[in-house]
Amino acid sequence: MSGAGFFAAAVVTPWAVGRLGPGRWIAVCAGTAAVLEPALGLPFAAGPLLVAAFVLGLITQGAKIATDTVVQSSVEDAFRGRIFALYDVLFNIAFVGAAGVASLMLPPDGRSALLVVLVALVYGGVAVGMGRFERHHGRDSRGGDVSRETSPPR
């Protein structure tokens, strides 16, 4: 189900980034995860967990695609490959590291309300942080600098 979410992200993200811009799309992804992850995960039932796997696959891959877009479009050609490679390795380390930490925190039955809530709080923190960043440094849906459009002329 998570893989299907990854595929859905490849279809939905270009449209969403075109409408919202990459930073806002990342904030929407994280905010959606902050709400849906505990709503679907805390019952610890197979059906909602399968839906959660799909949603989190879509959200995770959607945010990564948007981040890849920012890295690729904002880094000079001479450095793009190295920066992208470094960023990609860090993303994968975080992804695997999160699974490792979760495996250490989970009880034998695999059910931890605390872990579900902590993950939701992390997603919520990312959503708030990205929302604030976009408000102060963001770009409009066409990639233009919002600060130039909203600040008074000098």
Side-chain angles (χ1 to χ4, degrees):
M1 288 303 291
S2 182
F6 277 36
F7 178 77
V11 174
V12 172
T13 298
W15 173 84
V17 167
R19 302 269 314 196
L20 303 172
R24 288 189 188 111
W25 175 238
I26 294 168
V28 166
C29 286
T32 301
V35 173
L36 291 182
E37 191 259 341
L40 295 168
L42 286 175
F44 296 106
L49 285 174
L50 288 172
V51 174
F54 175 83
V55 169
L56 292 177
L58 187 153
I59 286 165
T60 301
Q61 191 66 11
K64 184 175 186 319
I65 292 168
T67 304
D68 289 350
T69 301
V70 171
V71 169
Q72 299 245 353
S73 65
S74 63
V75 175
E76 292 182 34
D77 290 345
F79 302 104
R80 185 173 298 132
R82 288 175 276 179
I83 296 296
F84 185 76
L86 177 64
Y87 151 74
D88 206 43
V89 166
L90 291 174
F91 176 84
N92 289 326
I93 288 171
F95 201 75
V96 172
V101 169
S103 71
L104 296 173
M105 293 179 67
L106 287 172
D109 70 356
R111 297 175 183 215
S112 172
L114 175 62
L115 184 59
V116 171
V117 170
L118 288 174
V119 169
L121 290 173
V122 169
Y123 277 121
V126 169
V128 169
M130 285 303 297
R132 287 184 178 166
F133 179 83
E134 281 298 302
R135 228 173 289 125
H136 297 294
H137 305 288
R139 297 180 175 277
D140 68 14
S141 63
R142 296 168 309 283
D145 187 356
V146 172
S147 61
R148 277 189 250 151
E149 294 173 8
T150 58
S151 58
R154 294 179 194 190

